């Protein structure tokens, strides 16, 4: 019985740590001067590269929490957008690990299209 309770506690701690974004890696050298403010929310700010980078490599990243509400972002979004959250800068792939931005938010911001 004690082993089951301990296992449940460990699983809960791992899930909580994952949802708090501890595994998201901030950008080491964000080059903030190359970006300008694009969108401001209560919890985060999105920056867009002043001179957009054309990105032709076919890279796609699943974005969102659940399969039914996921969307795809690619190298273009990864290269041209940066998120500021809790005094750190993240790219679009890493901000997805924190779970503060949804596909619907990206649509509303005009970052991706339906």
């Amino acid at each position: 019985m004690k082993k089951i309770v301990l296992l449940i506690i460990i699983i809960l701690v791992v899930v909580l740590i994952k949802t708090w974004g501890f595994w998201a890696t901030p950008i080491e050298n964000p080059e903030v001067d190359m970006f300008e403010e694009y969108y401001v929310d209560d919890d985060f700010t999105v920056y867009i590269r002043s001179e957009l980078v054309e990105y032709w490599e076919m890279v796609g990243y699943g974005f969102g929490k659940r399969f039914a509400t996921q969307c795809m972002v690619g190298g273009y979004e990864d290269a041209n957008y940066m998120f500021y959250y809790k005094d750190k800068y993240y790219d679009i792939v890493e901000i997805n690990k924190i779970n503060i931005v949804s596909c619907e938010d990206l649509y509303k911001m005009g970052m991706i299209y339906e």
Side-chain angles (χ1 to χ4, degrees):
M1 182 67 175
K2 289 181 182 181
K3 289 182 182 181
I4 294 173
V5 172
L6 182 61
L7 180 64
I8 291 171
I9 290 172
I10 290 171
I11 290 171
L12 287 173
V13 167
V14 168
V15 168
L16 286 174
I17 287 173
K18 182 163 175 56
T19 59
W20 287 336
F22 286 116
W23 289 319
T25 306
I27 300 171
E28 287 186 26
N29 297 318
E31 300 176 333
V32 179
D33 56 328
M34 297 179 71
F35 289 80
E36 56 191 53
E37 198 172 87
Y38 178 74
Y39 179 86
V40 178
D41 186 78
D42 292 338
D43 298 323
F44 61 90
T45 302
V46 181
Y47 291 89
I48 189 168
R49 191 174 290 275
S50 300
E51 293 183 27
L52 297 177
V53 174
E54 290 296 324
Y55 200 90
W56 297 103
E57 187 177 338
M58 297 299 290
V59 178
Y61 306 102
F63 193 91
K65 287 184 176 181
R66 297 182 190 96
F67 183 72
T69 60
Q70 276 193 331
C71 56
M72 294 294 290
V73 296
Y76 179 82
E77 290 82 13
D78 190 33
N80 290 303
Y81 294 96
M82 181 171 60
F83 292 77
Y84 182 72
Y85 174 69
K86 291 193 175 181
D87 299 326
K88 294 181 182 168
Y89 293 92
Y90 298 91
D91 63 29
I92 196 163
V93 175
E94 296 299 315
I95 202 70
N96 188 39
K97 295 176 183 177
I98 300 174
N99 296 323
I100 60 166
V101 182
S102 69
C103 289
E104 185 177 315
D105 293 332
L106 298 181
Y107 293 132
K108 287 179 185 176
M109 288 181 232
M111 288 178 62
I112 57 174
Y113 306 100
E114 293 186 67

